Amino acid sequence: MLSKKTKYAINALVYLARHADEQPIPVSRIAEERKIPLKFLESIFSELKNARIVKSKKGKYGGYSLNGGTDDIDLAQVVRLFDGAIALLPCATHDYYEPCEECLDETACGIRKVALEIRNATVASLKEATLANILAREQNLTR
Amino acid sequence: MLSKKTKYAINALVYLARHADEQPIPVSRIAEERKIPLKFLESIFSELKNARIVKSKKGKYGGYSLNGGTDDIDLAQVVRLFDGAIALLPCATHDYYEPCEECLDETACGIRKVALEIRNATVASLKEATLANILAREQNLTR
DNA sequence: ATAATACCTACCAAATAGGTAGGATTAAAA
DNA sequence: TTTTAATCCTACCTATTTGGTAGGTATTAT
């Protein structure tokens, strides 16, 4: 399960993508419209900015905007940023790799093979899910 | 990421599957061989028994054995038992379903569609991963 | 009887999740 | 130049979950 933080982040980014014309948008507006606790969302945007997924404009009439096009931001980036590794097992991740303690031969481990299979499929789906792709899915009700 | 509890459970079940001929097997033996804390593993087996995934024999020379064939037990059952829902979002699960608070039209939600896609693929992989299948993957090094 | 096992109840410490509080800094507008 | 509205920063907080431990009771083969 995704954490609330990740869910909030995704919702906020989709909101930014949907209002790409009127940016920058203040956090307060997103917090209100999407019913997300303001201070919590502020800290989320702080992390999104550090990760260069959004950029900010300070002061009055400031706010956040997407850093890059809606095609450049996908859910794999966001999930990794807030929830860490995507795989079910540390031995099946690329970025957060750790071997299992009692694994004699990792390349022969059946459990790991399942985990790798699932990880590959999940990452592929999450990478395909760019903000543009999510918006397109919402238009296209025939699914 | 799977919890340690789930990982321990999977490892213990694979151990039982691998030694299907010499059952029942005491928890102490699995704990020792797989380096799992004994008391913790005991509580895991208690849950596995409640879920009728294993069966027990009390007293001296007792222990646990698989309840059913190695084809009947798959990772979806085990993961659901210990970690709960498999999907990334509550609105994309069958058993643990909950709507999103701010979702106006769930059937049109792009994020949910991604989550459903991933869930379906993940559940399919986990169901395919029976204990028999895992053992087969370990034999078959050519993957 | 004894040894070895499952089973049961209670407790516990550390980490994580999900926030809140209070302000300092910046920049546009009046 | 003051006001307003925004980001940014530091610190704190509480509840839940995770990953165990402790200490025993009941059961069964030898």
Side-chain angles (χ1 to χ4, degrees):
Chain A
M1 284 277 176
L2 298 180
S3 66
K4 284 203 164 189
K5 208 167 184 178
T6 302
K7 286 190 237 171
Y8 289 156
I10 294 172
N11 275 282
L13 287 172
V14 170
Y15 187 95
L16 281 188
R18 195 179 288 122
H19 299 83
D21 44 327
E22 19 167 342
Q23 290 169 358
I25 292 174
V27 173
S28 58
R29 180 173 145 198
I30 303 176
E32 213 172 306
E33 289 217 26
R34 311 286 348 209
K35 314 274 183 193
I36 301 171
L38 173 62
K39 283 297 203 175
F40 197 32
L41 189 55
E42 270 187 13
S43 73
I44 289 168
F45 267 101
S46 165
E47 291 190 62
L48 285 171
K49 198 202 164 186
N50 283 338
R52 307 196 176 278
I53 291 173
V54 300
K55 57 193 175 192
S56 70
K57 191 183 175 203
K58 291 185 197 173
K60 196 169 180 177
Y61 292 89
Y64 288 96
S65 17
L66 295 178
N67 191 16
T70 54
D71 273 324
D72 303 323
I73 300 167
D74 63 63
L75 294 194
Q77 297 168 51
V78 183
V79 170
R80 284 209 177 98
L81 177 61
F82 292 105
D83 281 354
I86 288 167
L88 297 178
L89 298 175
C91 66
T93 68
H94 189 60
D95 352 2
Y96 298 80
Y97 174 82
E98 258 180 77
C100 297
E101 298 172 4
E102 263 312 286
C103 207
L104 299 173
D105 180 7
E106 188 173 84
T107 62
C109 177
I111 302 169
R112 180 167 181 261
K113 283 179 185 169
V114 176
L116 278 172
E117 191 178 296
I118 292 173
R119 184 208 99 125
N120 288 337
T122 302
V123 168
S125 285
L126 288 176
K127 280 194 176 168
E128 196 194 328
T130 60
L131 295 179
N133 175 267
I134 290 171
L135 289 188
R137 291 188 195 232
E138 312 210 326
Q139 302 305 315
N140 178 10
L141 300 180
T142 62
R143 270 203 188 221
Chain B
M1 285 277 176
L2 298 181
S3 65
K4 283 201 166 192
K5 208 167 183 176
T6 302
K7 287 191 237 171
Y8 289 156
I10 294 172
N11 274 280
L13 287 172
V14 170
Y15 187 95
L16 281 188
R18 195 178 290 122
H19 298 82
D21 44 327
E22 20 168 339
Q23 288 170 0
I25 293 173
V27 173
S28 57
R29 180 173 144 198
I30 303 175
E32 212 171 308
E33 289 216 26
R34 310 287 346 210
K35 314 274 183 191
I36 302 170
L38 173 63
K39 284 297 205 174
F40 197 31
L41 189 55
E42 272 186 11
S43 73
I44 289 169
F45 267 101
S46 165
E47 292 190 61
L48 285 171
K49 198 203 162 182
N50 284 337
R52 308 199 176 276
I53 292 172
V54 300
K55 58 192 177 193
S56 69
K57 192 183 174 203
K58 291 186 197 171
K60 193 167 183 181
Y61 292 90
Y64 289 96
S65 18
L66 296 178
N67 191 16
T70 54
D71 273 323
D72 303 323
I73 301 167
D74 63 63
L75 294 194
Q77 298 168 49
V78 182
V79 171
R80 284 209 177 99
L81 177 62
F82 292 106
D83 282 354
I86 289 167
L88 298 178
L89 298 174
C91 67
T93 67
H94 189 61
D95 354 359
Y96 298 80
Y97 173 82
E98 257 179 76
C100 298
E101 296 171 8
E102 264 310 285
C103 208
L104 298 172
D105 181 6
E106 188 174 83
T107 61
C109 176
I111 302 169
R112 180 168 181 262
K113 284 180 184 168
V114 176
L116 278 172
E117 190 178 296
I118 292 172
R119 185 208 98 126
N120 288 337
T122 302
V123 169
S125 285
L126 289 175
K127 279 193 177 169
E128 196 195 328
T130 60
L131 296 180
N133 176 267
I134 290 171
L135 289 189
R137 290 187 195 232
E138 313 210 326
Q139 301 306 314
N140 179 11
L141 300 179
T142 62
R143 274 205 187 217

